[in-house]
Amino acid sequence: MISENEYKKRRKRLAKKLSSNSVAVLFSSGYKTRSNDTQYPFRQNSNFYYMTGFKEDKSALLIVKKKDDIKVILFVAKKDKKQELWNGKRLGEKKAKKRFLVDEVLVMDDFEVQLKKYLQATKELYFDFLLDYSKVKILKRYAKTLSTHKNIAPLIQKMRLVKSHAEIELIRKAINITKEAHTSLMEMPKSGKNEYELLAELEYVFKKNGAYSDAYTSIVACANNANTLHYIENNKPLKDTELILVDAGCEYEYYASDITRTIAVSQFNKSQKELYDLVLATQLEVMEMIKPHAKRSDLQKRAVELLTVGMLRLGILKGSVKKLIKKEKYKKYYPHGIGHWMGLDVHDECPYKDTDGNELEFKEGMVLTIEPGLYIDKNDKNVPKKYRGIGIRIEDDILITKGGYENLSKAIAK
Ligand code: GLY
Ligand code: MN
Ligand code: MN
């Protein structure tokens, strides 16, 4: 669990980054319509959650800064018995005052009046440029006289790069649940089943362990379906000779896990094994490069080299390694990156470059995925027939440590 004190410290760090006479606003997410009057399950905005830990909609955070004087106000929806009968209990102003270590808690109905008041004393407003349009409209009403609008998102996203101890514990918990789900799927008899039956097993284990949701729509892709990178139909029958690519991770208390395993319905044949071994060897070698000050682009470069050499050996590519890499011929079979930041979002919205455009080096406490893959379309006539229709990805979640790295998902069988 993240303590209220940790949230308070984050707000203080954020306030320090704001210019000396400014107001910053962060809004909660709103419900999104699924069909007619039904909604998708609510998911809080990650930046708002990072600063508050508050899971309700119709809330906002206001930080008012005047030189060294900082005031933090949290706005929450007011208690409303009628609404609560239908939609569940609200925390309300009184309890929020007890829970949150902010200077003031007010109800959301007061938000506009307060915003107007504080904007009279400053000309600088920070807000998240990716906000819902309706929220931007509210801000614009008061922001006409402003000299500057600034995007608050990059300031928070930079803070989110390095995870705290408490955050890492939540990621570990998410990965542990995901481990149980993948293991359960590996152990179930798969012959004669459909992709959706495997998906159901994953979702059952996630939910049974109190995971709020999946961190992204799970992928259960047999045979050639694995060559669609974000295949989410998950509704085809499995054949005994096929492989299944399973890319699935739960979200636990807002923290993601992101794991891919490629397994066989019954057992691997020789060509499936050759491709699998190439991807696995690549993953293992690339992981060994991870330590503070290493760079993601160097990992990608090495993955490209290893996969290209391997594909040349298997007769999937032809020519010289150097030329194949220069002409990016590998991209047809390895079209994505080696991995991405992971945290409150599966693709954590953190920067990859500093403000000068230089690539960020790894630092203790960062979390990223390492996920090489090879995807050979079933209709690709340039490739020996035995490899066609096979798609393989292996993905683990890695914590950068002081001395190197920890593979947080190493207990999930490969
Ligand atoms: N599951 C999405 C990804 O691996 O990036
Ligand atoms: Mn990933
Ligand atoms: Mn994934």
Side-chain angles (χ1 to χ4, degrees):
M1 276 291 130
I2 316 265
S3 69
E4 288 307 326
N5 209 33
E6 183 165 336
Y7 287 115
K8 186 181 175 184
K9 280 190 192 152
R10 290 177 188 172
R11 291 188 291 264
K12 205 170 161 189
R13 270 179 67 205
L14 175 64
K16 270 196 184 154
K17 293 165 185 260
L18 305 176
S19 43
S20 66
N21 188 21
S22 61
V23 169
V25 181
L26 278 172
F27 286 107
S28 68
S29 301
Y31 276 87
K32 295 185 174 69
T33 302
R34 182 177 179 278
S35 98
N36 189 18
D37 56 354
T38 64
Q39 281 100 23
Y40 287 106
F42 180 74
R43 178 31 163 99
Q44 189 58 281
N45 172 277
S46 294
N47 284 337
F48 180 81
Y49 188 78
Y50 186 78
M51 285 298 155
T52 63
F54 194 37
K55 292 178 184 169
E56 286 187 19
D57 67 321
K58 295 200 171 97
S59 46
L61 186 74
L62 198 64
I63 302 177
V64 182
K65 182 168 175 182
K66 248 191 228 152
K67 296 219 169 96
D68 289 333
D69 190 30
I70 290 157
K71 184 168 184 178
V72 179
I73 310 170
L74 180 68
F75 294 85
V76 303
K78 70 170 175 230
K79 299 283 288 174
D80 178 337
K81 280 213 170 97
K82 242 194 203 164
Q83 277 289 326
E84 290 182 37
L85 168 67
W86 290 94
N87 302 322
K89 291 263 178 260
R90 292 265 183 200
L91 185 67
E93 200 185 348
K94 248 198 210 155
K95 283 193 179 153
K97 267 183 189 150
K98 282 195 190 133
R99 174 178 151 189
F100 296 104
L101 305 177
V102 294
D103 299 306
E104 204 172 348
V105 173
L106 296 171
V107 290
M108 200 58 196
D109 295 350
D110 294 339
F111 176 78
E112 290 196 37
V113 173
Q114 293 291 320
L115 179 69
K116 192 174 171 186
K117 180 174 103 186
Y118 288 113
L119 281 181
Q120 271 160 6
T122 175
K123 295 255 174 287
E124 274 193 51
L125 174 70
Y126 287 83
F127 65 95
D128 188 338
F129 286 3
L130 286 177
L131 277 182
D132 294 352
Y133 184 67
S134 62
K135 309 235 173 79
V136 175
K137 242 172 25 197
I138 299 175
L139 293 177
K140 280 197 175 152
R141 217 174 291 156
Y142 302 104
K144 275 197 199 97
T145 55
L146 295 181
S147 54
T148 359
H149 297 184
K150 285 185 175 164
N151 193 358
I152 197 164
L155 303 181
I156 303 172
Q157 284 153 5
K158 202 170 156 202
M159 290 171 64
R160 284 170 50 187
L161 255 178
V162 173
K163 273 68 180 172
S164 70
H165 177 75
E167 287 183 288
I168 292 165
E169 287 310 300
L170 290 174
I171 292 172
R172 280 185 202 281
K173 173 81 184 174
I175 292 171
N176 271 339
I177 296 171
T178 295
K179 176 188 140 208
E180 192 181 322
H182 276 267
T183 307
S184 190
L185 185 150
M186 285 174 198
E187 286 172 356
M188 72 190 268
K190 286 172 276 295
S191 184
K193 294 235 160 42
N194 189 295
E195 290 168 347
Y196 53 60
E197 293 178 84
L198 276 53
L199 176 68
E201 184 65 23
L202 293 168
E203 292 185 346
Y204 169 66
V205 179
F206 289 170
K207 293 257 157 68
K208 172 176 93 153
N209 284 289
Y212 171 89
S213 156
D214 36 25
Y216 50 93
T217 305
S218 301
I219 297 167
V220 180
C222 67
N224 196 58
N225 297 337
N227 295 320
T228 301
L229 296 179
H230 285 169
Y231 172 81
I232 51 170
E233 288 171 30
N234 302 332
N235 61 2
K236 303 294 182 301
L238 312 175
K239 289 197 195 100
D240 285 350
T241 51
E242 291 172 345
L243 297 187
I244 320 159
L245 184 153
V246 181
D247 184 348
C250 76
E251 178 178 294
Y252 184 79
E253 285 296 319
Y254 278 82
Y255 282 84
S257 55
D258 183 7
I259 302 295
T260 308
R261 291 294 181 262
T262 307
I263 57 176
V265 176
S266 58
Q267 57 186 18
F268 281 72
N269 67 27
K270 188 164 173 278
S271 28
Q272 289 165 337
K273 189 173 182 321
E274 282 168 345
L275 285 178
Y276 186 93
D277 285 346
L278 173 54
V279 175
L280 181 60
T282 302
Q283 198 214 24
L284 297 177
E285 184 167 335
V286 163
M287 274 196 297
E288 283 307 310
M289 297 168 69
I290 300 177
K291 57 179 189 231
H293 303 298
K295 285 183 193 161
R296 195 176 67 126
S297 62
D298 290 330
L299 271 49
Q300 172 70 345
K301 214 170 135 202
R302 188 67 187 134
V304 163
E305 281 166 9
L306 291 168
L307 292 172
T308 304
V309 169
M311 285 191 279
L312 205 53
R313 178 171 46 81
L314 298 176
I316 294 168
L317 291 174
K318 287 179 194 75
S320 81
V321 178
K322 226 172 154 188
K323 268 197 192 145
L324 290 169
I325 291 176
K326 198 163 169 235
K327 292 189 172 163
E328 299 190 333
K329 294 291 184 197
Y330 60 86
K331 267 201 171 160
K332 188 171 173 195
Y333 306 113
Y334 173 48
H336 56 72
I338 191 63
H340 49 83
W341 305 132
M342 192 190 81
L344 282 173
D345 296 297
V346 63
H347 298 159
D348 226 14
E349 286 177 283
C350 307
Y352 289 92
K353 290 179 178 168
D354 65 17
T355 39
D356 296 327
N358 299 315
E359 187 181 1
L360 291 176
E361 293 181 352
F362 291 160
K363 223 175 165 178
E364 186 183 352
M366 291 175 169
V367 175
L368 82 160
T369 65
I370 295 294
E371 50 180 304
L374 280 178
Y375 311 91
I376 318 282
D377 190 81
K378 69 172 186 205
N379 295 319
D380 191 332
K381 300 265 166 18
N382 298 312
V383 172
K385 206 165 174 198
K386 58 184 177 175
Y387 296 126
R388 291 181 207 162
I390 302 175
I392 289 162
R393 178 163 65 254
I394 308 173
E395 175 173 30
D396 282 286
D397 301 337
I398 309 293
L399 169 69
I400 318 284
T401 60
K402 200 169 166 201
Y405 74 95
E406 180 186 345
N407 179 357
L408 300 172
S409 48
K410 67 173 176 293
I412 307 177
K414 289 190 271 204

